[in-house]
Amino acid sequence: MELSNKTEIIGSMLLKENIKPSYARIRIMEYLLSRKSHPTVDEIYTALVKEIPTLSKTTVYNTLNLFVKSNIARVITIEENETRYDADMSCHGHFKCESCKAIRDFSFKCAAIDTSDLDGFLIREKNVYYYGLCPECLASESQD
Amino acid sequence: MELSNKTEIIGSMLLKENIKPSYARIRIMEYLLSRKSHPTVDEIYTALVKEIPTLSKTTVYNTLNLFVKSNIARVITIEENETRYDADMSCHGHFKCESCKAIRDFSFKCAAIDTSDLDGFLIREKNVYYYGLCPECLASESQD
DNA sequence: CATATAAACTGTATTGGTTACAATTCTATT
DNA sequence: AATAGAATTGTAACCAATACAGTTTATATG
Ligand SMILES: [Mn+2]
Ligand SMILES: [Mn+2]
Ligand SMILES: [Zn+2]
Ligand SMILES: [Zn+2]
């Protein structure tokens, strides 16, 4: 069936990073991959605890920190107070609408950013955050 | 003398934004402008309280929030736990060395980032954060 | 100058996301 | 079944940031 297939795919992804594919870890990674919402710890916990009643919020924290350390998830610090997470490790930027608070991906060519100032630096990670208004909020704000 | 000249320049900068140029506000903005270190609230407070013994940390928070709202300073969320501030409002990126923790500016051409995915969006602010190793730390790490 | 009003500042209490840690449960091996 | 180690849990503690009420300072008016 499909669910076990997905479980196996995620399980082997974790095993490749020497992470034991426990049920909680698989479900957390599955949640990260299925949603493009860049969820917070609380969002992940609240969603999964319905199906995994024994789940602890500490486990969500531990698991996400483990994923980040293993480079299969990344931290999104687009907000000042709460950390968000993303399992999409491809090079892409994040736009946050200051009105509806939605955070969505946008693509850009990483190589297009000229970083001659950083010659001699080892660059491990790039985060690009844009802020503004999405088209929907822009339309509803102009009609006042 | 020079100090009063600097004070007047910062004072008129604040007045332009309808911010009353109180002593605390001028000194906080002066600290932000003189340092390129992107200081935290605690760094600013600790440095200034030596000269302004009555200074309250709440005032530092209030003042920085006021500056950010008036677009004469910006929040740097390059770290997960602590907010940093920058009075340099020009388009530039920030590089954080994961070894020595230093945060330094780098320049890039804002227009070079193709954002066709964001057609129809109103972009108000752009933050570019890079992480890695600075040349000094790179050299000291390779000699093991 | 004296008084009144508003703005700025201060100090403390509280909030909320995150981590520390010890106890418990689960998993794998013998 | 028994043991050891890993994973998970629940609570306590931490700490940056905010809320808030009280105090001080600045400005305006008579
Ligand atoms: Mn993303
Ligand atoms: Mn800067
Ligand atoms: Zn929106
Ligand atoms: Zn360094």
Side-chain angles (χ1 to χ4, degrees), chain A residues 25-43:
Chain A
R25 286 167 176 172
I26 288 175
R27 297 303 306 275
I28 291 170
M29 177 52 81
E30 181 193 342
Y31 189 87
L32 272 182
L33 289 170
S34 66
R35 309 257 162 166
K36 289 287 178 188
S37 60
H38 314 94
T40 64
V41 166
D42 195 67
E43 283 168 30

Side-chain angles (χ1 to χ4, degrees), chain A:
Chain A
M1 62 168 103
E2 278 132 57
L3 195 123
S4 82
N5 186 28
K6 200 192 292 179
T7 297
E8 278 174 30
I9 291 172
I10 294 175
S12 61
M13 177 198 304
L14 298 181
L15 280 172
K16 214 175 292 178
E17 302 295 329
N18 293 317
I19 297 172
K20 191 180 290 186
S22 71
Y23 186 66
R25 286 167 176 172
I26 288 175
R27 297 303 306 275
I28 291 170
M29 177 52 81
E30 181 193 342
Y31 189 87
L32 272 182
L33 289 170
S34 66
R35 309 257 162 166
K36 289 287 178 188
S37 60
H38 314 94
T40 64
V41 166
D42 195 67
E43 283 168 30
I44 297 170
Y45 171 76
T46 303
L48 292 184
V49 78
K50 293 171 190 164
E51 302 167 41
I52 318 170
T54 61
L55 184 66
S56 161
K57 199 175 267 191
T58 301
T59 296
V60 180
Y61 276 105
N62 291 340
T63 302
L64 290 170
N65 287 338
L66 184 65
F67 288 172
V68 170
K69 206 163 43 176
S70 301
N71 273 314
I72 55 175
R74 61 156 135 177
V75 170
I76 306 292
T77 59
I78 200 167
E79 294 182 287
E80 290 174 48
N81 61 328
E82 213 170 1
T83 303
R84 292 181 174 274
Y85 294 88
D86 194 350
D88 181 354
M89 299 301 284
S90 71
C91 178
H92 66 284
H94 292 106
F95 178 91
K96 178 180 178 181
C97 176
E98 290 161 337
S99 177
C100 67
K101 316 296 182 193
I103 297 170
R104 78 182 78 186
D105 296 331
F106 69 90
S107 62
F108 68 93
K109 292 206 179 64
C110 267
I113 303 181
D114 170 55
T115 55
S116 52
D117 275 4
L118 297 179
D119 285 346
F121 288 66
L122 171 66
I123 300 170
R124 283 219 182 98
E125 198 185 341
K126 306 176 180 187
N127 279 334
V128 175
Y129 303 132
Y130 279 23
Y131 304 82
L133 291 176
C134 72
E136 296 77 31
C137 292
L138 208 52
S140 61
E141 284 204 4
S142 61
Q143 55 171 239
D144 59 63

Side-chain angles (χ1 to χ4, degrees), chain B residues 97 99-100 134 137:
Chain B
C97 175
S99 177
C100 68
C134 72
C137 292

